[in-house]
Amino acid sequence: MPFESWQIPILQEKGIVDATGAPIFEMLKHVNNPAQMTHAVVRKAEDKYQYLSQEGWTFDDKAAVKMSKEQADALAAKKARDKALSVVFTEKVAPDAVQRLFAADHSQDHHWSEWIFEQAGGGKAARDQTEHHVNYLKQRFIHQYSAEAWAQTEASFLEKMRSADQDVMMKMRGCWGFFRDWPGRDDVYAKVVAAVEKFQEQEPALLEMNQELQHNGQPPLPALPEQIADLKALTDVNQRVTNWIAAKRVRTDFRVATWKKEKTIYSDDFITAIAPLTYAAAVKFGFDTWEVSNREKFAKVAQGELHGNPWDKFVSNDQFMVILKFNVPMPTWVNRDDDFNTYELTNLLLALDNTMSASNPDGWEVWDEENNKNLTIAQVKDIIMREATGTPPPAQPAAPAGGGWNQRKAEPHPLMNPAHAAKSKNWPVRRTQTQYELKPPVDPATNKPQPGWDAQKEAQQIIQHLDMCLAEVQAWAAKFDPSTLAKVVQR
């Protein structure tokens, strides 16, 4: 078959064609199916003469030169049918396989073609295996015959092993060379083509990724065939670029649910309710202590380094999240009950499903910023009021009736003791007259702030707006379709 001028050196170096660009033939043995004779191509005069002479046909060299390909094939096919077993000369690599390997190189300067054929032959691992075979056979040959005999045979033997044909490769598994037909031994031709085409498809993303890596002080990925050792290395590069593309898509997808043509479920000067539809949105609007919005875990999931990701786990049971963000100054800490637990209320996380839309929001559980999920909405309201009024934690309860050596009376919490309080960073709380720092509402009659404004009224106003927000969340949750949540695709 004809080859372009730039293709001949590659095929010649790989032992597929000779210096003139003519295919190098291999000898197929034990062909007993007449249909396989269609592969018999004996183009060179010397090959035709050699083959037909071996099969018992007698004529001089001049006659062999004049004999057409069709005549030679007809004689070969007839003799093969007569013998049941035959020897047929055919191209080392089928023409369609050669063309498909070349076609995988989409570069303008054909800089992938040599790499493609090198890896199609087995790459460095196969060349190392060939060297191992040669050394082993050399030692056996010398041991059985002599070093002088090996010296006489070495050149032709090494030439045969330089680029093994299908028959040799069947005997010496793992050596460097070519199977005749597509997809090659163990599908190597198809694997090489798929990897190279994938690389070229993703090359613009690879260059962008390398810019990002260099900007962050990290080494770039190889971008040229001479920088990539073998098929496995190319596959690894492809996978990293694929992960980066997916990570970029995941990192920049900040979709949230809309409600009543608004970009949030609810928002006013006091509180905002946001329902993330994507992992990136959960991280953007959430808090690091929540597993579902932790930035470090998100980065690993986006890069394909962490499977079983928290977001997919969260939404797998038709759950959806709503983040409540207070827009007014909230206390940096709030204590409640007799354990002096710390709660950060600026951001709260609700885990909802459609069935909860019919229940009283006061019973909904929330996570606070410290990832405590032992709070209900009712308890959040209680904390807000307690912080505003300065209500101390309840006293320790008395021991159960019945006596005994450990019976005790009801006592104040230990931290209420001045000696303990002096050592505590959390008690007493330093409150101002307006703990939440809200602006008092204006009296319409006087156009002045209402008199008697204090922290308790502030807290009541915050709770009022929290209730309005939750009412909208409840109405939205009843109609929300959890299937619209975008899961992270595991690669």
Side-chain angles (χ1 to χ4, degrees), residues 295-309:
R295 285 171 291 183
E296 182 178 350
K297 287 187 176 181
F298 171 73
K300 291 182 178 180
V301 170
Q303 292 290 352
E305 299 172 1
L306 178 67
H307 296 281
N309 68 77

Side-chain angles (χ1 to χ4, degrees), residues 45-61 64 67 75 79 89:
E46 58 268 29
D47 286 335
K48 288 186 287 187
Y49 174 71
Q50 177 188 10
Y51 174 76
L52 296 173
S53 296
Q54 290 174 346
E55 295 303 310
W57 298 89
T58 58
F59 42 81
D60 57 25
D61 292 351
M67 182 178 291
L75 292 173
K79 193 66 177 179
F89 287 93

Side-chain angles (χ1 to χ4, degrees), residues 75 111 136 208 260 280 286 350 408 414:
L75 292 173
H111 64 264
Y136 175 74
E208 186 180 348
K260 296 181 179 179
L350 283 166
R408 58 176 172 78

Side-chain angles (χ1 to χ4, degrees), residues 137-429:
L137 293 174
K138 176 181 177 180
Q139 297 302 321
R140 286 194 60 184
F141 193 94
I142 292 175
H143 177 74
Q144 185 172 356
Y145 298 101
S146 65
E148 292 76 12
W150 171 255
Q152 296 174 0
T153 311
E154 182 177 10
S156 60
F157 179 79
L158 292 180
E159 176 63 23
K160 186 69 175 175
M161 290 297 296
R162 182 180 73 87
S163 177
D165 60 28
Q166 182 164 314
D167 192 45
V168 173
M169 292 183 72
M170 291 293 289
K171 294 178 181 179
M172 299 182 179
R173 185 172 179 86
C175 65
W176 197 91
F178 296 92
F179 259 46
R180 181 176 191 278
D181 295 307
W182 188 272
R185 182 159 199 167
D186 299 327
D187 296 336
V188 65
Y189 299 166
K191 292 175 182 176
V192 169
V193 165
V196 171
E197 289 183 335
K198 182 71 172 179
F199 181 91
Q200 293 171 115
E201 175 189 341
Q202 296 188 150
E203 193 167 10
L206 168 63
L207 298 178
E208 186 180 348
M209 177 182 178
N210 279 344
Q211 289 180 347
E212 182 179 303
L213 290 173
Q214 290 176 313
H215 179 75
N216 295 331
Q218 298 175 292
L221 296 181
L224 297 173
E226 56 266 27
Q227 299 171 336
I228 301 173
D230 51 29
L231 178 58
K232 181 182 182 304
L234 181 62
T235 302
D236 291 342
V237 170
N238 284 342
Q239 188 60 57
R240 287 194 61 184
V241 177
T242 298
N243 291 346
W244 182 85
I245 293 172
K248 182 179 180 181
R249 182 176 62 252
V250 171
R251 287 196 304 261
T252 57
D253 189 357
F254 301 119
R255 286 175 291 156
V256 297
T258 58
W259 179 241
K260 296 181 179 179
K261 298 182 179 181
E262 298 294 332
K263 293 183 178 179
T264 57
I265 306 304
Y266 181 88
S267 185
D268 61 21
D269 292 339
F270 289 79
I271 191 169
T272 297
I274 300 172
L277 299 180
T278 67
Y279 197 1
V283 173
K284 179 179 180 179
F285 299 107
F287 203 73
D288 252 354
T289 50
W290 302 336
E291 184 182 36
V292 73
S293 58
N294 180 272
R295 285 171 291 183
E296 182 178 350
K297 287 187 176 181
F298 171 73
K300 291 182 178 180
V301 170
Q303 292 290 352
E305 299 172 1
L306 178 67
H307 296 281
N309 68 77
W311 169 260
D312 284 359
K313 181 180 178 182
F314 190 90
V315 303
S316 61
N317 296 321
D318 290 334
Q319 283 188 310
F320 40 92
M321 63 187 295
V322 176
I323 298 172
L324 303 177
K325 301 175 72 71
F326 284 100
N327 301 324
V328 294
M330 299 295 287
T332 56
W333 69 271
V334 179
N335 70 78
R336 68 180 306 280
D337 298 334
D338 59 348
D339 289 330
F340 275 72
N341 290 328
T342 299
Y343 298 100
E344 297 285 351
L345 298 185
T346 302
N347 294 288
L348 300 175
L349 172 64
L350 283 166
L352 303 176
D353 58 41
N354 296 125
T355 61
M356 295 176 66
S357 62
S359 61
N360 186 345
D362 280 351
W364 293 353
E365 286 189 325
V366 295
W367 283 273
D368 70 349
E369 290 183 15
E370 293 193 339
N371 209 28
N372 294 306
K373 196 197 173 185
N374 54 348
L375 283 176
T376 63
I377 292 294
Q379 290 172 320
V380 169
K381 295 177 180 179
D382 175 63
I383 290 173
I384 293 173
M385 287 302 302
R386 181 174 295 181
E387 182 68 11
T389 58
T391 304
Q396 290 183 330
W405 63 271
N406 63 344
Q407 184 175 5
R408 58 176 172 78
K409 297 179 181 180
E411 298 176 356
H413 191 278
L415 288 183
M416 292 297 292
N417 185 311
H420 290 285
K423 299 178 181 180
S424 171
K425 297 179 181 179
N426 295 339
W427 186 266
V429 178

Side-chain angles (χ1 to χ4, degrees), residues 424-443:
S424 171
K425 297 179 181 179
N426 295 339
W427 186 266
V429 178
R430 295 181 180 180
R431 294 181 174 85
T432 63
Q433 182 181 2
T434 55
Q435 175 65 18
Y436 292 105
E437 302 178 10
L438 303 183
K439 293 182 179 180
V442 175
D443 186 343

